[in-house]
């Protein structure tokens, strides 16, 4: 089974939940991206809009000013760059700046021009399961028919829409959208059900890194969630689970740790893979 690709997160935002404000200067963001490549990232995901619960949206001009210079430099340095955006205009500018993947957390629902824009390009398109923008998503975390069949059906609808707009299946990637309109138990059920989501056809991407369902899992005795920067060990168990489920890529903040965990997994899977002599 091939090792999942490791997609390193480069958030050029003042307010992302895990690293907001650390890389908001283009120079800091580029340096961070280069460090992630050095640590073993296969892909870099550059985003200029925070999607954390309750976040307000930046203006289009602001989002463009955050991501385009960073993508230009990282693509010129040889990175395979993904742009994390829900806006067709930003996706188009990012592709012109050298991005090769459009990572749309709304799966084409936030901007009616997104699917035609992607169709007219040669980009890989990540369609994530999504129900609403950050200010409303917590109210929409209800799945009376079960989270797995519902997310599967809603993702199937996005595949249909993308294909109808002219995006071929080979260019599509699906993502269960952990933490987006999901309560903690929903995320675990989706992770257990990756095989069912894979059966939809397209490759899968999973983003669990630093998310609040890990914080809840590891809460202290008074129920205080484990802080964002102390969730990595639990996250690595999820990364290995994703590898076993055959996902195409994992979206992570700590690239070096994910690569180490995947190296151990690969050595277990394949006795010829080296395993340090
Ligand atoms: N999560 C976040 C942002 N973008 N994209 C995809 N495809 N999947 C995700 O799970 C995802 C995403 C939120 O995390 P961050 O604020 O740490 O980037």
């Amino acid at each position: 089974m091939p090792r999942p690709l490791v997609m390193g997160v480069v958030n050029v935002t003042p307010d992302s939940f895990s690293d907001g404000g650390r890389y908001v200067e283009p120079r800091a963001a580029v340096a961070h991206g280069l460090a992630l490549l050095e640590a073993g990232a296969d892909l870099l995901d550059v985003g200029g809009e925070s999607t954390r619960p309750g976040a307000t949206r930046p203006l289009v001009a602001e989002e463009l000013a955050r991501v385009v210079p960073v993508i230009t430099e990282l693509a010129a340095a040889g990175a395979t760059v993904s742009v994390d955006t829900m806006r067709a205009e930003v996706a188009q500018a990012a592709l012109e700046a050298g991005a090769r993947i459009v990572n749309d957390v709304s799966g084409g629902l936030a901007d009616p021009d997104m699917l035609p824009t992607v169709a007219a390009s040669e980009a890989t398109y990540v369609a994530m399961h999504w129900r609403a923008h950050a200010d409303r998503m917590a109210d929409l975390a209800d799945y009376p028919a079960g989270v797995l069949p519902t997310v599967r059906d809603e993702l199937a609808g996005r595949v249909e829409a993308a294909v109808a707009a002219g995006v071929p299946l080979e260019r599509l990637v699906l993502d269960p959208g952990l933490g987006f309109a999901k309560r903690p138990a929903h995320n675990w059920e989706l992770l257990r059900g990756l095989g069912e989501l894979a059966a939809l056809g397209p490759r899968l991407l999973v983003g669990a890194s630093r998310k609040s369902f890990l914080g809840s899992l590891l809460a202290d005795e008074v129920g205080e969630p484990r802080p964002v920067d102390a969730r990595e060990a639990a996250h690595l168990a999820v990364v290995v689970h994703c590898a076993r489920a055959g996902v195409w890529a994992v979206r992570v903040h700590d690239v070096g740790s994910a690569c180490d965990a995947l190296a151990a997994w690969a050595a277990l899977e394949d006795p010829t893979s080296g395993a340090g002599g």
Side-chain angles (χ1 to χ4, degrees), residues 165-191:
V167 183
L169 273 180
E170 309 76 62
R171 282 210 269 128
L172 266 181
V173 177
L174 297 176
D175 183 327
L178 302 180
F180 288 78
K182 314 286 182 325
R183 297 191 216 289
H186 295 146
N187 299 294
W188 295 111
E189 192 172 339
L190 288 167
L191 284 167

Side-chain angles (χ1 to χ4, degrees), residues 1 262-277:
M1 200 176 273
L262 289 170
W265 169 78
L268 288 164
E269 283 293 301
D270 174 7
T272 64
S273 82

Side-chain angles (χ1 to χ4, degrees), residues 9 11 16-19 45 50-52 84 103 105 126 128 175 177-178 180 205-209 211 251 253:
V9 177
N11 281 328
S16 287
F17 76 95
S18 62
D19 53 6
D45 190 37
S50 167
T51 47
R52 74 163 183 201
D84 187 343
N103 173 24
V105 299
V126 180
M128 199 192 78
D175 183 327
L178 302 180
F180 288 78
L205 170 73
V206 174
S209 182
K211 288 200 172 158
R251 182 181 180 280
H253 298 83

Side-chain angles (χ1 to χ4, degrees), residues 158-228:
R158 300 327 300 151
V159 173
E160 222 172 279
V163 170
V167 183
L169 273 180
E170 309 76 62
R171 282 210 269 128
L172 266 181
V173 177
L174 297 176
D175 183 327
L178 302 180
F180 288 78
K182 314 286 182 325
R183 297 191 216 289
H186 295 146
N187 299 294
W188 295 111
E189 192 172 339
L190 288 167
L191 284 167
R192 280 191 293 271
L194 289 175
E196 266 197 58
L197 301 180
L200 290 169
R203 298 164 283 174
L204 296 182
L205 170 73
V206 174
S209 182
R210 300 186 180 171
K211 288 200 172 158
S212 65
F213 73 103
L214 299 174
S216 307
L217 175 79
L218 304 170
D220 66 16
E221 61 283 356
V222 295
E224 197 58 39
R226 180 74 66 83
V228 158

Side-chain angles (χ1 to χ4, degrees), residues 15 65 105 111 123 125 129 141 157 162 176-177 189 202 204 212-213 229 254 263 267:
D15 56 348
V105 299
D111 183 342
Y125 180 64
H129 179 262
E189 192 172 339
L204 296 182
S212 65
F213 73 103
D229 58 1
D254 186 340

Side-chain angles (χ1 to χ4, degrees), residues 15-199:
D15 56 348
S16 287
F17 76 95
S18 62
D19 53 6
R22 281 166 69 180
Y23 312 114
V24 73
E25 287 300 322
R27 242 177 325 148
V30 169
H32 182 55
L34 295 175
L36 295 181
L37 284 180
E38 188 72 21
D42 303 292
L43 313 167
L44 295 178
D45 190 37
V46 179
E49 172 174 0
S50 167
T51 47
R52 74 163 183 201
T56 49
R57 305 199 70 192
L59 299 172
V60 179
E62 206 173 339
E63 191 182 343
L64 283 167
R66 288 177 187 171
V67 298
V68 170
V70 176
I71 290 170
T72 303
E73 281 209 44
L74 291 175
T80 303
V81 178
S82 158
V83 60
D84 187 343
T85 186
M86 293 181 259
R87 290 174 162 141
E89 194 179 334
V90 176
Q92 182 61 41
L95 294 173
E96 285 164 16
R100 288 168 35 201
I101 300 169
V102 175
N103 173 24
D104 176 3
V105 299
S106 83
L109 290 170
D111 183 342
D113 292 333
M114 181 61 100
L115 295 176
T117 298
V118 172
S121 76
E122 290 181 354
T124 295
Y125 180 64
V126 180
M128 199 192 78
H129 179 262
W130 182 89
R131 286 187 153 180
H133 287 290
D135 55 345
R136 285 205 312 124
M137 69 178 171
D139 301 333
L140 298 172
D142 283 322
Y143 299 90
V147 69
L148 182 58
T150 306
V151 167
R152 184 196 56 213
D153 291 353
E154 290 178 12
L155 282 176
R158 300 327 300 151
V159 173
E160 222 172 279
V163 170
V167 183
L169 273 180
E170 309 76 62
R171 282 210 269 128
L172 266 181
V173 177
L174 297 176
D175 183 327
L178 302 180
F180 288 78
K182 314 286 182 325
R183 297 191 216 289
H186 295 146
N187 299 294
W188 295 111
E189 192 172 339
L190 288 167
L191 284 167
R192 280 191 293 271
L194 289 175
E196 266 197 58
L197 301 180

